[in-house]
Amino acid sequence: EAQVTQNPRYLITVTGKKLTVTCSQNMNHEYMSWYRQDPGLGLRQIYYSMNVEVTDKGDVPEGYKVSRKEKRNFPLILESPSPNQTSLYFCASSSRERGEKLFFGSGTQLSVL
Amino acid sequence: DAKTTQPPSMDCAEGRAANLPCNHSTISGNEYVYWYRQIHSQGPQYIIHGLKNNETNEMASLIITEDRKSSTLILPHATLRDTAVYYCIVRVGASNTGKLIFGQGTTLQVKP
């Protein structure tokens, strides 16, 4: 089954403790991206990647890192999480062909205390 | 970059057509318009997308104006399960360069 898998689904952590949210897709997609969703603000793009070793900033990249060492994986790294990074996070992927649709993961609810 | 504008909320009676508008007045000629919806805190679900022509699939129809500055998503026979937040999205770039611009979304409430 074609899917985007995020882990964990829920995560509670404390300020300053490094964490990684994993994202994996099984569709051989070149493009992957991370979003955060906050009440009243909709979905905002954090980072995206057009292919292996190619990443770029979205609208809200501060406080986040990403890497794309393999085509299927696109982890989101918070080196020193802060409470303002408490949010619902989504990973998405698609092929790079024009007009292709995005597939979203089921989300990671992160709480930073 | 193109931006989208949607009404924050709409109501629709069950069984009637729901027409959700989106304004994307700065869209360029090679950018697609996508519609997604989100139920509670689940991942956004793809509905439909188009470039210039009107599109229809098993879920909905998409009507794009001739000047491409606005579009309307039509759910022909809304059900209670269609209650969700609907996002109109413009995808930037001729070769899917990646950046997505989300509107604020329209909360559609389908009422019995």
Side-chain angles (χ1 to χ4, degrees):
Chain A
E1 178 188 354
Q3 60 184 4
V4 178
T5 303
Q6 289 179 236
N7 280 297
R9 180 70 179 93
Y10 300 95
L11 179 58
I12 301 174
T13 189
V14 296
T15 299
K17 186 175 182 181
K18 181 180 178 180
L19 66 91
T20 299
V21 184
T22 64
C23 175
S24 179
Q25 49 92 5
N26 62 0
M27 296 167 279
N28 202 36
H29 285 162
E30 297 90 351
Y31 170 79
M32 298 185 74
S33 184
W34 277 102
Y35 296 85
R36 62 177 288 173
Q37 185 174 29
D38 304 288
L41 296 177
L43 280 89
R44 295 179 292 169
Q45 190 179 49
I46 304 171
Y47 269 96
Y48 66 94
S49 170
M50 297 304 296
N51 215 324
V52 176
E53 303 292 359
V54 180
T55 63
D56 206 348
K57 296 177 181 179
D59 293 321
V60 288
E62 294 78 19
Y64 304 94
K65 285 178 57 177
V66 293
S67 69
R68 189 89 184 274
K69 294 182 171 55
E70 305 168 281
K71 197 172 188 179
R72 65 181 291 123
N73 296 322
F74 190 46
L76 180 69
I77 303 159
L78 286 72
E79 295 268 3
S80 183
S82 62
N84 64 11
Q85 293 178 297
T86 292
S87 188
L88 179 59
Y89 292 86
F90 291 103
C91 180
S93 75
S94 79
S95 77
R96 286 190 60 181
E97 294 179 19
R98 287 189 66 200
E100 282 301 304
K101 63 186 181 185
L102 269 183
F103 292 81
F104 281 85
S106 55
T108 296
Q109 180 65 59
L110 172 65
S111 296
V112 183
L113 305 177
Chain B
D1 290 348
K3 296 189 184 300
T4 61
T5 305
Q6 300 175 252
S9 64
M10 294 183 66
D11 291 340
C12 178
E14 187 178 19
R16 304 298 293 267
N19 297 279
L20 291 85
C22 179
N23 182 289
H24 32 79
S25 57
T26 58
I27 194 171
S28 63
N30 56 7
E31 293 170 343
Y32 285 77
V33 179
Y34 290 78
W35 283 83
Y36 281 77
R37 71 181 183 185
Q38 187 177 26
I39 299 172
H40 298 301
S41 297
Q42 299 175 22
Q45 175 191 21
Y46 169 82
I47 301 173
I48 198 167
H49 73 285
L51 182 63
K52 296 180 181 178
N53 300 320
N54 298 337
E55 302 287 345
T56 295
N57 63 21
E58 65 279 3
M59 288 182 68
S61 295
L62 175 61
I63 308 297
I64 302 174
T65 57
E66 190 170 345
D67 63 7
R68 301 190 71 239
K69 293 184 177 182
S70 65
S71 60
T72 300
L73 176 73
I74 301 173
L75 307 178
H77 305 288
T79 70
L80 298 178
R81 289 192 296 179
D82 291 322
T83 292
V85 179
Y86 288 77
Y87 290 98
C88 170
I89 302 166
V90 171
R91 196 161 199 187
V92 173
S95 59
N96 282 350
T97 52
K99 187 173 177 64
L100 291 182
I101 301 172
F102 280 77
Q104 291 302 306
T106 296
T107 299
L108 175 67
Q109 183 71 47
V110 180
K111 298 184 175 181

